[in-house]
Amino acid sequence: MAAESAEPIIAADGLVKHFGPVRVLEGVSLALAERDVLCVIGPSGSGKTTLLRCCALLEAPTAGTIRMRGEVIAEPAPGPETERARRRVRADIGMVFQHFHLWPHMTVLENIIEAPRLVKGASREEAVAAAEALLAKVGLSDKRDVYPQRLSGGQQQRVAIARALAMNPKVMLFDEVTSALDPELRREVLLVMRQLAAEGMTMLVVTHEMNFARQVGSRVAFMDGGVIVEEGPPRDFFQRPRTERAQRFLAQFED
Amino acid sequence: MFTYQFRWDVVPNNLHFIFSGMQMTLILSATTLAIAMVLGLVIAVLSMARPWPLRAFGVGFGELIRNTPVLVQLLWVYYVLPIFFEFRIDAVTAVIIGLSIYSSSFIAEAYRAGIQAVPQGHREAAQVLGLNQAQTFRRIVLPQAIRVTLPPLAANFVQLIKYSSLGAVLSVGEVTRKGMELSSSTFRPLEIFTFIAVLYFFICWPLSMSIRAWETRLARR
């Protein structure tokens, strides 16, 4: 199984996505090895979110492929083999959204145990035990039986992270998960993500949090105009950006 | 001068007759509601379907029914449909068919609004976690949609109780028809129709009020 572990957990290859006449992605390739934390930054409209949605199998690529451990799971006209692979790995890709998208008719606990019960066929007892451990991890054990509307944005986002983790994903995708939060609530979410990264979770993080990218990212990719303009270790990228576009982008964050 | 002599005793004397009509009214409305809920779901699903011919049919049917008078629809079902299909239907069946079709077009709108009120993101969250389409609809979309749809469904029931009075035109023995018969045999239309109006009011009003209270509670959640 040595060959398998050499394959990236998730990889995009020549990804193109057009919405009618709008060209959002113009050929993006990336690969995440185990324990990688790739932070994708760039101006709004650069295609970051679409890239993530393609990796989450929420959008079908116009051209290019998504592979998981070398196996094609998304392509423009998926054949039966790809469809089977897609269904099989679906739950191995966890995603956290900018606007949480917790289900309002379920309590925090019910939100978390829903997918393990339905998709993995877990018994209620095991699902609840796992959910309780996850709630403890994100610091919300006391909110177990509360409805999401009663929680702050930061708390809701932490529940959303716990909900995604409940499926034991191999990779976690984060789509600007702190952008909808007040500054004082961002920290608690970022802290949970830091902890995840420290535990070795493979993560693809679209973010505007430069400090997070600098400190937690194992690599940083800078996107503009539907392509990855520059990619490298955070230290190099933040201290000596090679491209002029990246330099201009980073200049905005200097006070 | 107002010299009319009220003779209210016609009401208690014929109470049994009037109530048998009321019973018919409620049976008609409840049957119609049950059929219209199913038919409405079919129309709602059609009007949200991907293939355009299905969608055109669903939307077109709804528009046609909502923009023609219900009385004309009832007369059409009773007098025209049998010519087409060469069989006679009795008046009660005609009223149930006519009102069901009429009501289903409004119920379909309520369903559609309810389903579309569930944010796309809730579906995507389910999809990413591996729930299939059927599971997503049953566990995530439907429970949320039903909450939004129940008050308009109940409001439709109130409408149906009132509209079933149109059955009188086709001689269906619901409460309005009973009133017409009673008033021509006793010559006391004023007392009888007043009582019948009050009867309708005290059935519909509490229903309407509880729907309003229910909607307020839902809005607060």
Side-chain angles (χ1 to χ4, degrees):
Chain A
M1 287 286 156
E4 198 182 68
S5 61
E7 290 278 6
I9 295 213
I10 194 165
D13 193 17
L15 212 58
V16 174
K17 180 68 187 177
H18 296 172
F19 292 100
V22 187
R23 296 152 170 271
V24 184
L25 295 179
E26 295 276 41
V28 174
S29 300
L30 56 81
L32 271 85
E34 222 168 311
R35 305 179 80 92
D36 252 354
V37 178
L38 176 59
C39 292
V40 182
I41 62 172
S44 355
S46 57
K48 309 182 296 285
T49 291
T50 305
L51 169 64
L52 212 63
R53 289 174 59 84
C54 285
C55 293
L57 308 177
L58 288 173
E59 305 281 358
T62 309
T65 56
I66 307 280
R67 285 166 204 272
M68 206 161 178
R69 291 205 197 276
E71 192 175 30
V72 175
I73 54 168
E75 55 190 347
E81 205 173 315
T82 305
E83 275 299 318
R84 262 198 307 277
R86 186 184 64 82
R87 271 199 298 276
R88 183 152 30 80
V89 303
R90 163 90 278 175
D92 290 342
I93 306 171
M95 179 157 177
V96 185
F97 300 85
Q98 184 177 356
H99 296 289
F100 333 132
H101 296 323
L102 294 177
W103 302 309
H105 57 297
M106 298 182 185
T107 63
V108 164
L109 184 79
E110 289 164 349
N111 261 278
I112 298 174
I113 65 172
E114 183 71 8
R117 298 270 283 118
L118 250 61
V119 181
K120 290 200 166 159
S123 73
R124 196 182 156 83
E125 294 74 50
E126 24 172 355
V128 168
E132 279 172 343
L134 286 167
L135 279 173
K137 182 176 180 152
V138 300
L140 291 171
S141 293
D142 54 329
K143 304 293 185 196
R144 193 192 115 123
D145 297 314
V146 168
Y147 283 91
Q149 303 86 299
R150 303 235 173 250
L151 301 177
S152 74
Q155 291 170 332
Q156 289 190 44
Q157 195 60 295
R158 284 186 280 155
V159 173
I161 293 174
R163 180 175 67 175
L165 290 175
M167 291 301 283
N168 290 318
K170 305 276 188 296
V171 54
M172 285 279 282
L173 314 176
F174 293 86
D175 184 18
E176 298 191 19
V177 293
T178 55
S179 297
L181 301 178
D182 292 335
E184 70 266 28
L185 300 178
R186 288 182 182 166
R187 229 181 69 87
E188 62 192 48
V189 174
L190 291 171
L191 223 59
V192 170
M193 290 167 67
R194 265 172 206 269
Q195 190 192 339
L196 267 182
E199 288 167 8
M201 175 61 78
T202 309
M203 292 159 62
L204 180 56
V205 186
V206 168
T207 187
H208 290 294
E209 305 279 350
M210 293 304 141
N211 279 329
F212 181 86
R214 198 193 322 258
Q215 294 162 13
V216 185
S218 57
R219 278 181 304 141
V220 175
F222 171 69
M223 273 186 85
D224 196 12
V227 293
I228 293 180
V229 177
E230 196 173 330
E231 187 184 339
R235 188 171 311 172
D236 296 356
F237 175 78
F238 284 105
Q239 282 172 6
R240 293 181 299 279
R242 297 189 303 273
T243 57
E244 195 250 330
R245 271 194 281 181
Q247 287 162 11
R248 249 188 301 143
F249 178 76
L250 288 175
Q252 304 173 77
F253 298 92
E254 287 164 11
D255 290 320
Chain B
M1 263 305 275
F2 190 72
T3 53
Y4 187 84
Q5 288 285 314
F6 280 99
R7 290 275 316 272
W8 286 107
D9 58 309
V10 295
V11 171
N13 287 347
N14 295 289
L15 210 54
H16 185 72
F17 188 67
I18 294 173
F19 277 163
S20 73
M22 200 67 229
Q23 195 185 349
M24 186 61 170
T25 292
L26 292 176
I27 290 172
L28 274 181
S29 326
T31 313
T32 306
L33 183 74
I35 297 173
M37 278 171 69
V38 178
L39 202 56
L41 190 61
V42 174
I43 296 171
V45 168
L46 283 180
S47 65
M48 287 185 293
R50 279 259 170 78
W52 74 262
L54 293 182
R55 206 168 55 234
F57 179 79
V59 172
F61 185 81
E63 292 298 327
L64 186 71
I65 298 303
R66 278 191 301 274
N67 292 292
T68 45
V70 58
L71 182 54
V72 173
Q73 290 168 16
L74 285 182
L75 292 171
W76 199 88
V77 168
Y78 190 49
Y79 293 112
V80 182
L81 219 53
I83 300 174
F84 271 134
F85 294 103
E86 291 182 342
F87 65 83
R88 277 203 58 80
I89 47 175
D90 63 280
V92 174
T93 314
V95 169
I96 290 177
I97 293 175
L99 283 180
S100 298
I101 290 175
Y102 176 77
S103 193
S104 68
S105 73
F106 286 91
I107 289 178
E109 280 301 288
Y111 285 141
R112 197 157 74 138
I115 289 171
Q116 284 173 350
V118 179
Q120 180 65 18
H122 291 182
R123 279 170 243 219
E124 289 185 347
Q127 202 181 325
V128 167
L129 287 163
L131 274 70
N132 63 31
Q133 275 200 333
Q135 290 170 328
T136 304
F137 187 76
R138 189 167 52 82
R139 298 285 305 171
I140 310 301
V141 177
L142 209 56
Q144 295 193 66
I146 282 174
R147 280 186 198 192
V148 188
T149 308
L150 280 179
L153 270 184
N156 237 281
F157 187 53
V158 175
Q159 290 283 354
L160 278 174
I161 293 173
K162 292 185 294 176
Y163 278 138
S164 63
S165 63
L166 291 169
V169 179
L170 308 184
S171 310
V172 170
E174 45 69 65
V175 69
T176 304
R177 179 72 198 182
K178 296 280 187 192
M180 286 160 76
E181 288 168 5
L182 208 54
S183 81
S184 54
S185 64
T186 61
F187 305 108
R188 286 283 152 196
L190 203 151
E191 289 85 346
I192 289 162
F193 284 122
T194 305
F195 178 72
I196 286 175
V198 168
L199 208 56
Y200 272 116
F201 180 79
F202 279 107
I203 290 178
C204 293
W205 188 55
L207 271 170
S208 300
M209 291 306 276
S210 17
I211 294 166
R212 212 166 302 159
W214 191 3
E215 278 178 324
T216 323
R217 241 188 61 199
L218 280 182
R220 259 208 314 267
R221 281 210 56 161

